[in-house]
Amino acid sequence: MKNLSKVLIGILVVIIIIAIPVVSGYNNLVALEQKVDTAQSNIDTQLQRRSDLIPNLVSTVKGYANLESEIYTNIADARSKLAGASTIQEEAAADHELTSALSRLLVVVENYPDLKSSSNFQDLAIELEGTENRITIARQDYNDAVTEYNTKRRRFPSNIIASIFNFEQKPLYKASEGAQTAPSVDFSS
């Protein structure tokens, strides 16, 4: 009977020794995954802030400048795509499209000195610039969180825990194709 209880105690100790790192590894992966989700939510929050500023900016510009409706249409289309993005890749592509359309709008504004000196436009431009900076920081924070999570889920023994509990790799926030090329703006017409 003493031998049986020693064996049971030995088995219990081995189970505990195995369970502690598994539980710890699982909890660590859950915490890192939450960090990624929070970082992605922070990007979404800043993109929404920018999206909310754009109608005011467009209205201000419309009041001063008689621009082609194509720029307004591009901005509206890009905002719609951004709102409907369901993956980080779709969000990045829509974000690039919106940034490109806004860049074209702001280049056109350069031809309207009255508009540039308008306090309403200046205030909106400052808010937009601050929001763009926040978006950049949120993207960096997201990529840092994803890198930490993906690294942890690939390291031993976390990779075993990750595959058992189905922790999937997270994508980095990457610039869409063509983001390295500045948009072309033609003022000849």
Side-chain angles (χ1 to χ4, degrees):
M1 197 59 144
K2 282 186 172 184
N3 286 340
L4 180 60
S5 60
K6 285 183 180 182
V7 169
L8 289 176
I9 290 173
I11 292 172
L12 184 61
V13 167
V14 168
I15 290 173
I16 290 172
I17 289 173
I18 292 172
I20 288 174
V22 169
V23 169
S24 175
Y26 176 84
N27 287 340
N28 195 348
L29 284 169
V30 168
L32 291 173
E33 189 174 48
Q34 283 303 118
K35 188 175 177 182
V36 169
D37 293 343
T38 299
Q40 183 173 356
S41 179
N42 289 342
I43 291 173
D44 294 342
T45 300
Q46 295 307 321
L47 291 175
Q48 182 62 51
R49 175 182 161 83
R50 179 177 63 179
S51 210
D52 292 345
L53 284 171
I54 290 170
N56 295 334
L57 185 66
V58 169
S59 294
T60 302
V61 172
K62 273 184 180 179
Y64 281 86
N66 187 14
L67 302 177
E68 297 175 22
S69 63
E70 179 184 350
I71 292 175
Y72 302 129
T73 303
N74 290 345
I75 290 172
D77 290 346
R79 284 182 70 218
S80 295
K81 286 180 186 176
L82 189 58
S86 58
T87 66
I88 198 77
Q89 292 88 350
E90 288 175 7
E91 190 174 270
D95 177 37
H96 169 68
E97 196 174 313
L98 183 57
T99 299
S100 178
L102 277 175
S103 295
R104 287 192 302 275
L105 177 69
L106 294 175
V107 167
V108 169
V109 165
E110 292 296 319
N111 292 329
Y112 296 90
D114 290 344
L115 173 60
K116 287 187 345 185
S117 65
S118 158
S119 65
N120 191 24
F121 177 79
Q122 288 177 350
D123 291 346
L124 288 170
I126 289 168
E127 275 195 65
L128 188 61
E129 181 181 348
T131 300
E132 292 297 332
N133 292 335
R134 287 184 193 102
I135 290 169
T136 299
I137 291 168
R139 287 178 190 147
Q140 290 170 348
D141 290 346
Y142 172 82
N143 282 345
D144 290 345
V146 166
T147 299
E148 184 180 3
Y149 167 81
N150 286 341
T151 301
K152 179 70 174 179
R153 70 171 284 288
R154 290 187 64 204
R155 284 188 179 155
F156 182 82
S158 296
N159 61 343
I160 296 169
I161 297 165
S163 60
I164 290 171
F165 293 105
N166 220 14
F167 285 93
E168 298 294 325
Q169 182 168 333
K170 302 287 184 180
L172 291 169
Y173 196 103
K174 294 181 182 179
S176 61
E177 291 293 322
Q180 295 81 7
T181 307
S184 62
V185 179
D186 182 14
F187 293 114
S188 61
S189 50

